Amino acid sequence: AQTVTQSQPEMSVQEAETVTLSCTYDTSESDYYLFWYKQPPSRQMILVIRQEAYKQQNATENRFSVNFQKAAKSFSLKISDSQLGDAAMYFCAYRRGNSAGNMLTFGGGTRLMVKP
Amino acid sequence: DSGVTQTPKHLITATGQRVTLRCSPRSGDLSVYWYQQSLDQGLQFLIQYYNGEERAKGNILERFSAQQFPDLHSELNLSSLELGDSALYFCASSAGGSGANVLTFGAGSRLTVL
């Protein structure tokens, strides 16, 4: 079974600074996708960024980027120029490729606090 | 608005009771997923449906059941409720069963069992 581990229960960052959230996963699959979801106090789950395992290039979405290390099974999220609105729980998630039962498997989450 | 609609938003009930949570997926999405988020268990996958058929089952208790109807909306039935069932229940949908399809989440149904 696939597992996703987020080793940092809490992180804090100063506004306008950069922070990196860590995630590791375990799988024997070759076709899979990795995601970061944000859960603000409203509790809504919001997709931040997605990475296809077959792509070597790291995904980027505005201030959010990932460092995908396939061999190390590592998938970290970098948030640049942190803003107060970035304060939230961040969940790393794994999903198998084209097969049945490709639900998202989530890590335990990292609470990010942004200091003004 | 994500396009995934969950009702009710909040529900308070007593132990031993039965409740039904409803989910309408995004227009055009065929897959529906149910997740439970509790403080001690994190986000746990319960069950997935694809175009009316059960596709995958996760850590879903026997007291819980679900179905997806021909109009693609889904219901999660929770019976013989216990205090530990108090949680936020999310529904998510995706266009198909491919891993490339992004899951879009609803706002959740918060269940409190007293």
Side-chain angles (χ1 to χ4, degrees):
Chain A
Q2 294 80 22
T3 58
V4 179
T5 303
Q6 294 179 247
S7 59
Q8 306 152 316
E10 279 191 5
M11 292 282 285
S12 68
V13 63
Q14 205 70 36
E15 196 176 3
E17 297 293 309
T18 296
V19 64
T20 299
L21 309 184
S22 301
C23 171
T24 58
Y25 59 96
D26 186 24
T27 183
S28 58
E29 305 280 340
S30 58
D31 179 20
Y32 57 89
Y33 298 79
L34 297 165
F35 305 83
W36 280 96
Y37 277 84
K38 170 184 178 181
Q39 188 178 39
S42 67
R43 309 294 276 179
Q44 176 77 52
M45 295 290 289
I46 302 165
L47 177 67
V48 175
I49 200 164
R50 179 182 78 166
Q51 175 77 45
E52 296 87 344
Y54 62 84
K55 286 188 177 178
Q56 290 188 336
Q57 187 173 6
N58 290 324
T60 299
E61 287 287 342
N62 300 314
R63 298 182 295 106
F64 299 87
S65 61
V66 299
N67 183 5
F68 174 47
Q69 301 289 326
K70 191 171 184 178
K73 296 180 181 174
S74 169
F75 182 61
S76 60
L77 174 70
K78 186 171 85 170
I79 306 174
S80 304
D81 186 26
S82 297
Q83 300 175 0
L84 294 178
D86 295 333
M89 282 290 290
Y90 286 83
F91 292 94
C92 177
Y94 166 99
R95 191 180 189 202
R96 291 162 63 182
N98 294 330
S99 62
N102 52 6
M103 73 294 290
L104 284 171
T105 299
F106 286 93
T110 296
R111 181 174 303 281
L112 178 66
M113 295 173 285
V114 180
K115 299 177 181 177
Chain B
D1 183 4
S2 67
V4 179
T5 304
Q6 289 189 247
T7 57
K9 285 188 170 50
H10 297 95
L11 191 55
I12 301 174
T13 188
T15 54
Q17 295 298 305
R18 172 190 169 95
V19 299
T20 297
L21 309 180
R22 182 188 167 100
C23 170
S24 294
R26 255 184 358 157
S27 178
D29 284 358
L30 299 178
S31 262
V32 170
Y33 308 76
W34 285 97
Y35 283 84
Q36 179 194 57
Q37 185 177 30
S38 58
L39 283 175
D40 56 347
Q41 294 290 329
L43 275 156
Q44 297 286 316
F45 167 70
L46 296 178
I47 198 163
Q48 175 197 3
Y49 282 85
Y50 177 76
N51 203 21
E53 293 188 2
E54 182 182 305
R55 179 62 71 91
K57 216 173 220 187
N59 299 321
I60 187 166
L61 300 172
E62 285 192 10
R63 301 183 285 108
F64 296 0
S65 65
Q67 55 182 326
Q68 185 179 29
F69 295 85
D71 67 352
L72 301 178
H73 92 272
S74 178
E75 292 181 357
L76 178 67
N77 300 296
L78 315 174
S79 62
S80 302
L81 285 168
E82 302 175 359
L83 296 177
D85 298 327
S86 295
L88 189 56
Y89 291 85
F90 282 108
C91 169
S93 71
S94 69
S98 165
N101 301 129
V102 171
L103 266 68
T104 301
F105 283 77
S109 292
R110 179 171 292 283
L111 173 66
T112 302
V113 182
L114 300 177

